Amino acid sequence: MDQVAALELTSVDLQSHKNNKEHHTQEMGLKRLIVRRGQTFMLRLYFNRPFHSGTDYIIFVAETGPEPTELLGTRATFALTQARQGNVWSAADFTIDSSSLYVSFFTPTNAVIGPYTLKIEISRSQGPRMVYPLGTFILLFNPWSAEDDVYLPSEILLQEYILMDYGFVYKGHERFITSWPWNYGQFEEDIIDICFEILNKSLYFLKNPSKDYSQRNNVVYVCRVVSAMINSNDDKGVLQGNWGEDYSGGVSPLEWNGSVAILRQWSARGGRPVKYGQCWVFAAVMCTVMRCLGIPTRVVSNFRSAHNMDGNLTIDTYYDQNAEMLPAQKRDKIWNFHVWDECWMIRKDLPPGYNGWQVLDPTPQQTSSGLFCCGPASVKAIREGEVHLAYDTPFVYAEVNADEVVWLFGDGQAQEILVHNTSSVGKEISTKMVVSDQRQNITSSYKYPEGSPEERSVFMKASRKMLGPSRASSPFLDLLGSEGFQDPPAQLQLHLARPPEWGQDLLLKLHARRVPDRAHPQGPIRLEVRFCAQALLHKGGAREPLWRKTAHLDLDFGEEVRLPLLLPFDNYRKKLMDEKLIRVSGIARVEQTGRSVLVLKDISLETPHLSIEVPERAEVGKALRVHITLTNTLTVALRNCTMVLEGSGLIDGQISKNIGTVVGGHTIEIQVDLYPIKAGRRQLQVLISSSEVKEIKGYKHIFVATARAS
């Protein structure tokens, strides 16, 4: 009887090209195997002779992380079988072709994500066991699989929230919302490695590497780790926050075009935090990481976002008798806007009904379980006021629902309530519309309509849970319940007389009208109105006054007085923040009663726009000329202009150019040649910064054709 030679592995084909395409990972590259859990992938194994299923025994071993064990779920041992059995690691449905073997591998839908090594152990009924390395692969979450906790049952939504590598972040002010194009770049070749590097530098990993790896099958856990690691308050996180005015030693948050440069810089410098980020940068970078790992994610902006640090659902704002907005007495503030992420997942840790979109906020604001992270908080729980549900739901609920109380402050104390607003917080909650460049208002998913019985009922329910059954007494509640809080005898409104452009004097008009009131129901009244203008800070509050004016008005029933106001350019030229937002405040004191009336107008100054033209057909590898035009519509020159171009699939990294000075009223045209890298629909982002205006931004969609055969 002839002795059959021992079965030996000679080579392996990981079939990365085919597998990556079927697993929607081909954009990450085709040179290595990147697959999603809960979905089969094929390997072809080559041997020194044909495989005999009756006498040759094959066992596969998959391992991830340090000191992998089957108990922790970081090691799996499974034999070659005819058919797959359930939601477990398996190698089955094999076909024998001469001296090779096609094997279908399956990873369970609750497998740990990360980089794996795969080995094969070969033996016969008699004889030694031989071990061969088959190679490595990366395993990701699978939102295409109905059994995965991140399953999203819509191909259109998956195209947007997993596969789209660019988008928009919404910034500015509730009345002047600007779309800010952003290059997520989650499929750039090294980004997936950087994502796992982020997990491996977390405090959870450093404290107990094996335990940390074993929990990477849990989407809630992974999201919380990433939320903590995008900021650097506790750890070697990706970004260092800076809400001041001095960005020396780093990059202004306004000058980032996308996530790729930030993540690459963090990795290249050994995990040293990148300077600097603010909320939209933190959220956009987290979106890149989440989409890369396979978790459906979108970036959400909340305008007039409350930061209620003491959890009493009330934000207090103070003005003095000269209409100057004063520094907050507490850390509570209302930000012009705040940006976070929503990730789609099943919440097995919550009662039924709270699956779907969950808020995750990587901007460092307060600690959660000892670390600066926030979420996941169920959007449904926020809408229903179920603030007892994990994680950090009370904080997010207050961001979109807190009441605002505006006080007149003098002689060291709050003297009078000027306004009690129940609907001024949580406005125009926005995200990018699916398959569109338009903005989608999603406020209704966070709360019932303002002022509706449902909204007030939910507010009271949340208040009881956050503050206990009896709300503690406070000066606000005492005043609110007293006769001291009454409707004012005059209505005041501030209007712009012409569009506000940076570099121009601002023209406003005060409209004043007498209305009946209990304190002074008849006859004319005399008002002393004091005006103040201040630069608004993104994180709430304002800078020192840049303009003041006082006026006296006599008002009687049936007439409206209009008062023109001029705010000269020289007053605000060097006083504004990069956002170019001004708040004009007015406090009118009624001489007959001594009571005060507040009027506010927030102004967003328009800055120059740029245009991008691409007249030619775009093709992979072929030079593509881009024409960028900037007209300085201002009366002043833009000095020290720099231009940065970015766009995944179009540019490897960034292209930077110094433009110098653009004189007021002049137009410049810049031509740049690109060499597109990937086919398909791409977005080119262009940012021009100057000493005067930090953010002149534009974008252009470009469809890139595959290279023509030569």
Side-chain angles (χ1 to χ4, degrees):
M1 182 176 171
D2 292 337
Q3 184 71 30
V4 178
L7 187 69
E8 296 175 8
L9 183 76
T10 56
S11 65
V12 60
D13 178 5
L14 297 178
Q15 310 226 333
S16 304
H17 197 287
K18 176 176 178 289
N19 288 323
N20 290 11
K21 240 178 176 172
E22 291 176 356
H23 286 247
H24 305 94
T25 61
Q26 71 269 29
E27 283 273 311
M28 296 179 183
L30 299 170
K31 293 176 183 173
R32 53 182 175 166
L33 183 59
I34 304 170
V35 293
R36 300 187 186 275
R37 61 187 194 176
Q39 185 176 336
T40 58
F41 60 94
M42 299 294 296
L43 266 59
R44 188 174 186 180
L45 312 178
Y46 293 89
F47 300 102
N48 61 328
R49 62 166 174 78
F51 171 75
H52 299 142
S53 58
T55 53
D56 293 322
Y57 299 102
I58 290 179
I59 290 175
F60 296 96
V61 180
E63 295 179 327
T64 187
E67 302 174 11
T69 67
E70 294 188 17
L71 184 66
L72 289 173
T74 50
R75 184 177 197 268
T77 305
F78 47 102
L80 184 66
T81 57
Q82 284 289 351
R84 179 161 71 86
Q85 297 169 341
N87 187 34
V88 293
W89 287 85
S90 66
D93 304 322
F94 62 89
T95 55
I96 301 168
D97 177 24
S98 181
S99 293
S100 70
L101 196 61
Y102 281 101
V103 182
S104 172
F105 286 83
F106 179 82
T107 60
T109 52
N110 60 349
V112 167
I113 63 159
Y116 278 81
T117 59
L118 188 61
K119 295 182 288 191
I120 184 173
E121 296 179 356
I122 304 173
S123 62
R124 289 175 67 78
S125 48
Q126 303 290 325
R129 175 178 295 180
M130 299 295 293
V131 179
Y132 300 89
L134 289 180
T136 61
F137 66 93
I138 293 173
L139 190 64
L140 302 175
F141 290 106
N142 191 354
W144 281 268
S145 168
E147 303 304 315
D148 200 302
D149 285 351
V150 299
Y151 175 56
L152 182 57
S154 163
E155 188 58 38
I156 293 174
L157 297 184
L158 287 165
Q159 289 291 325
E160 182 73 45
Y161 299 133
I162 290 286
L163 300 180
M164 187 72 78
D165 61 2
Y166 58 83
F168 298 96
V169 178
Y170 296 99
K171 298 173 56 199
H173 185 281
E174 59 169 309
R175 292 195 187 94
F176 328 104
I177 296 173
T178 56
S179 60
W180 181 264
W182 192 269
N183 178 37
Y184 295 121
Q186 67 266 33
F187 301 127
E188 296 290 307
E189 214 153 295
D190 52 346
I191 294 301
I192 191 168
D193 302 303
I194 297 172
C195 290
F196 287 111
E197 192 181 338
I198 288 170
L199 296 181
N200 289 347
K201 280 193 163 60
S202 81
L203 294 180
Y204 294 100
F205 176 84
L206 297 175
K207 183 180 177 182
N208 190 331
S210 297
K211 183 184 178 186
D212 170 71
Y213 251 85
S214 74
Q215 294 182 85
R216 293 186 188 180
N217 64 332
N218 181 340
V219 61
V220 171
Y221 176 81
V222 171
C223 284
R224 280 182 67 75
V225 171
V226 174
S227 173
M229 277 300 295
I230 297 299
N231 69 71
S232 58
N233 283 40
D234 309 293
D235 41 42
K236 283 191 164 185
V238 176
L239 278 158
Q240 181 175 323
N242 185 341
W243 285 268
E245 299 173 53
D246 180 10
Y247 301 118
S248 56
V251 175
S252 161
L254 291 167
E255 294 181 32
W256 296 112
N257 264 340
S259 307
V260 176
I262 294 168
L263 290 167
R264 283 177 174 167
Q265 182 180 319
W266 175 81
S267 177
R269 296 183 179 179
R272 208 160 69 236
V274 175
K275 300 176 180 178
Y276 294 101
Q278 288 184 12
C279 62
W280 69 91
V281 186
F282 288 112
V285 171
M286 182 166 180
C287 181
T288 296
V289 175
M290 296 287 91
R291 287 185 184 182
C292 186
L293 296 177
I295 301 168
T297 304
R298 62 188 187 183
V299 175
V300 172
S301 298
N302 176 38
F303 291 89
R304 288 192 59 79
S305 186
H307 288 249
N308 186 210
M309 304 305 284
D310 57 13
N312 68 351
L313 286 177
T314 302
I315 305 291
D316 297 306
T317 308
Y318 300 89
Y319 289 85
D320 69 12
Q321 62 183 4
N322 297 313
E324 179 182 341
M325 188 186 199
L326 302 173
Q329 304 292 301
K330 301 180 293 183
R331 289 194 300 156
D332 290 9
K333 288 180 181 175
I334 298 175
W335 291 19
N336 299 330
F337 69 95
H338 183 51
V339 185
W340 57 67
D341 296 289
E342 285 180 4
C343 295
W344 181 273
M345 68 189 76
I346 290 170
R347 291 295 301 273
K348 291 177 178 172
D349 58 322
L350 299 183
Y354 298 100
N355 299 332
W357 291 117
Q358 314 286 321
V359 171
L360 283 134
D361 189 349
T363 300
Q365 298 156 89
Q366 65 173 15
T367 58
S368 173
S369 302
L371 293 180
F372 278 94
C373 66
C374 179
S378 162
V379 173
K380 180 77 181 297
I382 294 162
R383 188 173 196 256
E384 300 301 333
E386 303 295 352
V387 292
H388 61 290
L389 297 176
Y391 290 86
D392 310 303
T393 310
F395 186 78
V396 184
Y397 180 85
E399 286 184 300
V400 299
N401 283 297
D403 282 3
E404 179 188 19
V405 182
V406 183
W407 298 84
L408 181 64
F409 193 85
D411 298 327
Q413 63 180 5
Q415 295 178 330
E416 181 183 345
I417 292 177
L418 297 170
V419 183
H420 170 219
N421 270 325
T422 61
S423 60
S424 64
V425 163
K427 310 293 282 184
E428 296 290 332
I429 304 174
S430 303
T431 192
K432 178 187 175 294
M433 197 175 282
V434 175
V435 198
S436 166
D437 290 351
Q438 299 302 306
R439 179 177 67 89
Q440 182 182 358
N441 187 326
I442 57 170
T443 309
S444 61
S445 65
Y446 279 83
K447 53 185 176 180
Y448 290 96
E450 292 285 5
S452 67
E454 296 93 341
E455 184 264 339
R456 282 290 99 182
S457 169
V458 167
F459 185 85
M460 295 312 296
K461 176 170 72 172
S463 298
R464 284 193 297 272
K465 288 181 178 177
M466 291 170 70
L467 304 172
S470 57
R471 296 181 68 159
S473 179
S474 71
F476 160 58
L477 291 172
D478 295 343
L479 259 175
L480 200 56
S482 74
E483 289 296 308
F485 187 57
Q486 300 168 353
D487 290 331
Q491 280 186 354
L492 304 180
Q493 289 183 316
L494 278 168
H495 297 277
L496 282 164
R498 68 180 183 200
E501 288 191 6
W502 195 88
Q504 303 278 346
D505 295 345
L506 303 180
L507 289 178
L508 299 100
K509 275 190 180 172
L510 175 72
H511 293 209
R513 192 162 62 87
R514 175 83 167 93
V515 292
D517 71 299
R518 280 187 295 172
H520 199 75
Q522 309 175 23
I525 57 171
R526 184 169 175 78
L527 304 179
E528 181 189 54
V529 192
R530 298 186 182 189
F531 297 99
C532 178
Q534 296 168 272
L536 274 183
L537 305 174
H538 165 56
K539 262 183 92 168
R543 295 181 72 177
E544 69 281 352
L546 54 87
W547 172 84
R548 293 186 189 275
K549 185 177 176 65
T550 302
H552 292 87
L553 302 175
D554 292 307
L555 286 182
D556 204 350
F557 290 108
E559 64 175 336
E560 181 175 278
V561 174
R562 299 190 176 193
L563 177 72
L565 300 168
L566 177 73
L567 202 170
F569 171 52
D570 284 343
N571 281 62
Y572 70 79
R573 180 175 188 166
K574 295 180 179 177
K575 298 285 183 70
L576 298 191
M577 302 294 290
D578 291 334
E579 280 90 357
K580 303 284 186 276
L581 273 172
I582 296 175
R583 171 164 293 174
V584 179
S585 318
I587 288 186
R589 186 175 178 274
V590 183
E591 289 190 0
Q592 284 79 356
T593 64
R595 302 306 303 268
S596 300
V597 184
L598 175 72
V599 61
L600 300 174
K601 181 69 175 177
D602 291 344
I603 302 169
S604 176
L605 299 178
E606 290 189 20
T607 53
H609 301 277
L610 58 83
S611 64
I612 307 165
E613 295 299 327
V614 184
E616 306 161 17
R617 175 181 182 271
E619 187 180 310
V620 171
K622 184 181 172 186
L624 178 68
R625 181 148 293 181
V626 175
H627 302 262
I628 299 155
T629 305
L630 171 67
T631 299
N632 182 1
T633 53
L634 310 180
T635 56
V636 296
L638 298 175
R639 298 169 298 121
N640 304 313
C641 293
T642 59
M643 180 178 71
V644 178
L645 285 77
E646 190 168 326
S648 286
L650 295 170
I651 300 166
D652 184 13
Q654 297 176 323
I655 296 173
S656 300
K657 277 184 178 290
N658 287 320
I659 304 170
T661 298
V662 183
V663 177
H666 282 228
T667 297
I668 60 163
E669 184 175 304
I670 307 137
Q671 295 184 354
V672 181
D673 285 342
L674 310 181
Y675 294 84
I677 304 156
K678 293 179 180 178
R681 186 173 156 92
R682 306 290 163 191
Q683 189 189 74
L684 174 68
Q685 289 104 10
V686 179
L687 171 69
I688 294 178
S689 296
S690 69
S691 301
E692 288 70 25
V693 181
K694 287 290 180 213
E695 45 177 320
I696 304 171
K697 197 153 190 187
Y699 71 95
K700 184 77 174 178
H701 290 302
I702 300 173
F703 184 82
V704 181
T706 53
R708 283 186 274 213
S710 52

